[in-house]
Structure formats: structure tokens, C-alpha cells
Amino acid sequence: MSERKPRIAVDMDEVIADPLAKFIKLYNRDYDVPLDLKIEPGNEIAMHVPEHARLKIREYINEKGFFRDLDVIPDSIEVMKELQKKYEVFIVSAAMEFPNSLQDKHEWLADHFPFIGWQHIMFCGYKIVNTDIMIDDRIKNFVDYDGRKLLFTSPHNMLLTDYERVDTWRDVADKLL
């Protein structure tokens, strides 16, 4: 009997899909005020908009279609294809937080990552997964996770120093391939 490949859990938002660019586009459309693209380390995007617009960000993310046309994080497709040769790769997204995102995310993955089969896509609440490695931008998903944790850099986590960090998908390739 052959030994199983090591398993990797890969988050979607801010790891392979870019919701920040979409937030900025929608904000600029609705408020006609340029949003500063230089987001300070440690802050969420909501910290860069006037208080009256903070709830609008939550509205955007709950709209049907928000997740359907997000940009792909550079190099993620190519590196994920290579990872599949050595690992069993799972997409693990806390999509249940935003129920309207389920179909959008499924269709987005089919368009950009068709080589990830439906059996390897998990839309969940808490990311309680049995994998060897997790690549995520949110440390809350590392709580009670016993595997190797790779923190994918995003503005909100840039001040955190207690985790093994990957800034780009090229960094992921350097560490795992």
C-alpha cells in the first residue's frame, strides 16, 4: 500500500483571490474618493475609509457576485499546479460566514483552478482540517491546528512575527517544492 501524499489546506481570500482590489474598486465607484492603496501594516481595509463607509464594506462582501470576479493572486495558479505533484491540495475557505459567496467561490475556482477537483474544496465555518500544512492569512485559523502554519502576507497581518511567513506564491514554492 502506498503512503499518502502530505496534505495542504489553502485559504482563498487574500491567499489565492484578491478581495482587497475589489473593495477598493467598489469604494472608489461609490464614493468617488480615491482610497489610499498604501494600507498600513496591521490594519484592516476598514481602517482606511471614513466611519460612515465602514458598514459599506460589509455590504459589498455580502452581495451576490462579489466573489465571482476577484483577481487571482500572482503566481498562485502555477505554484498550485506544481504543489499537486507533491501534495494533496485542498482549498479550505470559511465561506459559510458569507453564504452568498458559496456559488461565486465555486465558479471562481472552476474558472481559475479547474485542476482542483470538487472533492478537494471545503467551504466551512471553522477550519478544522486534517492536513499537514495550512497556508492562510488569518491566524485565527491556526488556533488548535497542529500542522505547519504558513502565514500568507496581507496588510492586516504584517505586524505579526510569531509565524512562518510567505509573502508571495514564489515564497511558497521555495519552501514547499
Side-chain angles (χ1 to χ4, degrees):
M1 188 170 180
S2 65
E3 190 174 314
R4 76 164 172 86
K5 290 180 181 178
R7 294 177 174 160
I8 299 179
V10 179
D11 180 37
M12 284 186 72
D13 301 322
E14 298 183 61
V15 177
I16 61 173
D18 186 1
L20 296 179
K22 178 101 178 244
F23 282 132
I24 291 166
K25 177 180 161 187
L26 293 174
Y27 178 86
N28 290 343
R29 176 197 72 194
D30 292 350
Y31 292 96
D32 199 29
V33 176
L35 181 61
D36 181 6
L37 291 173
K38 186 176 185 297
I39 300 173
E40 295 175 13
N43 280 344
E44 299 284 348
I45 195 167
M47 304 309 295
H48 297 275
V49 298
E51 194 169 333
H52 71 275
R54 290 188 182 158
L55 290 178
K56 191 69 174 170
I57 289 176
R58 195 94 180 143
E59 283 180 37
Y60 291 149
I61 204 167
N62 281 296
E63 284 177 10
K64 181 79 179 113
F66 177 85
F67 292 93
R68 183 62 184 94
D69 62 351
L70 298 180
D71 292 339
V72 177
I73 300 289
D75 300 318
S76 59
I77 295 171
E78 299 78 12
V79 174
M80 291 276 282
K81 283 180 181 177
E82 290 302 309
L83 286 173
Q84 280 202 303
K85 295 175 184 175
K86 187 175 175 182
Y87 301 91
E88 192 173 3
V89 178
F90 294 86
I91 301 297
V92 182
S93 176
M96 298 308 294
E97 183 176 2
F98 307 106
N100 282 335
S101 75
L102 296 172
Q103 184 175 356
D104 290 344
K105 287 185 174 204
H106 184 262
E107 291 173 0
W108 186 90
L109 285 167
D111 286 349
H112 300 289
F113 295 83
F115 51 91
I116 303 283
W118 65 269
Q119 306 92 331
H120 286 82
I121 297 172
M122 297 180 209
F123 294 145
C124 55
Y126 288 116
K127 293 184 183 179
I128 301 170
V129 293
N130 181 19
T131 59
D132 303 292
I133 301 166
M134 182 184 289
I135 304 170
D136 208 305
D137 66 299
R138 301 264 174 203
I139 62 169
K140 69 181 183 183
N141 296 316
F142 295 153
V143 174
D144 295 327
Y145 178 74
D146 293 330
R148 182 176 179 188
K149 304 164 183 86
L150 296 179
L151 182 63
F152 200 91
T153 296
S154 189
H156 66 84
N157 69 33
M158 290 175 70
L159 299 179
L160 302 174
T161 58
D162 294 341
Y163 297 89
E164 184 177 3
R165 181 175 294 278
V166 285
D167 293 323
T168 67
W169 276 94
R170 289 282 140 223
D171 289 350
V172 172
D174 290 345
K175 288 180 180 281
L176 299 180
L177 293 175

